[in-house]
Structure formats: structure tokens, C-alpha cells
Amino acid sequence: MAVRLGDEAPDFAADTTEGPIEFHRWKGSDWAVLFSHPRDFTPVCTTELGALAALKAQFDRRQTKVIGLSVDPVGEHHKWKGDIEDVTGHGLNFPLIADPDRKVASLYDMIHPNASDTATVRSVFVIGADHKVKLTLTYPASTGRNFQELLRVIDSLQLTARHSVATPADWQPGEDVIIVPAVSDEEARKKFPAGFTAKKPYLRVTRQPR
Ligand code: BEZ
């Protein structure tokens, strides 16, 4: 069954390039990005894992752990690591789950049979400190993901978890945010001392709270 927004991220035990893990225990009270890629030794995946390794410190800064998955065995993951570093200049610095029996892929509905019977699609799950799923994305094998966008989304998710705000289209950290409709004008004046601008009665913008 599909894993949907607001669901608890299913727990599992699996072997990874950093040894066996139990997912919830490994994640702890941090946020996490769990993502799948189709296969080891494939071109787009090689560029993706290098790109993500290059951004690892930025995920760390957001208390967000990163973990990848494909249906290849752990020995293949280890053999592929050298290629990733060779091609991208960034060594793998997060665990890759080996899922040859597709146990985790099935749990998270990462195999879409009309795309491929055997390989995982490019799924992404952003999971909050509370183990709840905050974001899902699905890309096809032919399109590499934009991991800067994931950082932007995590910034929005973490901000909107702390304050009664939402972020507009193409928002970047530091830009103005939207006060959620559930907050009355009177409450908004108390919550947001910097004030707000009502572009429409339902569209009120304020400075990004810290
Ligand atoms: C790739 O990672 O390059 C890839 C994997 C499966 C199908 C097509 C491309």
C-alpha cells in the first residue's frame, strides 16, 4: 500500500553499506530523507549519489539523516562506491540500503510495475522528527533529482512545523511567508509583531519568523 503524507513511516530492519540498521532506531529524533534509485552502476544514479554526498553537511545542519536504497546487494553497493567518488569527486558519506528481496521497496511502494518490474523508481520520503511522512516525490529513472530543492522543502517543512505559516511558490529561506488562514487577523497581530500585509483577505504575508 502507498505510504502517504501524515502516515507513520514504516519501520524495517535492513543491511546497509554501514552495517545492519533498524530504521526508526537509526533515525532517532532527527528528520530523515529516505530515497530509492533504480540500480547500482547506472549513469544517472551515479551522478545523483555524488550530488547528494556533496550536500551532506547541509542536511546535517538541518538535523536530517540521509539514506538511499536500491535492490542490489550490499557487495555491489560497496563495489560501486569507488565509481561514484571517481566520477563526481564525492565519496559516499551516508548509508545505502541493500534490498535484494525488495522487502523495503514493497513496504514503501517503490516499485511501479508499469515503469519497471524489477527496479525501484526514484522515490523520496522526507520524514519528520515524529516519524511521520512530510513529503513524497516520485521521479522516473531517466530524470535525476534536484537535491537543492529537497533542502528548500526541508527548510519550509521545518519552518511551518514551528510557526503558523506556509511558504509561497518558489519561496527561498529568508523571504516573506504566508500566514495560514486558520489564524485570525487579531491573532496574527500578536503572533507576528513585525506586522503583515493583506494582499487579499485570505493572503497575508509577513516576514519569515526565526
Ligand atoms: C540511470 O541511473 O542512469 C538509469 C537507471 C535505470 C534506467 C535508466 C537510467
Side-chain angles (χ1 to χ4, degrees), residues 50-110:
L52 201 42
L55 293 175
K56 168 74 164 35
Q58 299 212 41
F59 286 92
D60 290 345
R61 233 174 278 144
R62 292 159 173 84
Q63 283 82 50
T64 302
K65 290 184 173 138
V66 173
I67 189 162
L69 173 149
S70 81
V71 298
D72 295 293
V74 79
E76 293 299 293
H77 288 351
H78 280 298
K79 283 189 215 153
W80 183 38
K81 275 163 61 174
D83 288 359
I84 295 167
E85 180 149 21
D86 191 25
V87 171
T88 69
H90 300 284
L92 200 65
N93 50 12
F94 52 84
L96 269 191
I97 297 166
D99 193 32
D101 58 6
R102 283 110 170 116
K103 193 180 74 183
V104 183
S106 302
L107 200 57
Y108 279 83
D109 197 29
M110 291 166 166

Side-chain angles (χ1 to χ4, degrees), residues 38-39 42-46 122 141-142:
R39 296 305 299 231
T42 50
V44 177
C45 300
T46 303
R122 298 187 196 282
S142 52

Side-chain angles (χ1 to χ4, degrees), residues 10 29 102 122 148 158 160 176 184 186-187 189-190:
S29 56
R102 283 110 170 116
R122 298 187 196 282
Q148 292 282 357
Q158 294 185 343
T160 59
D176 286 353
S184 69
E186 193 185 334
E187 282 174 292
R189 278 187 277 275
K190 288 188 207 134

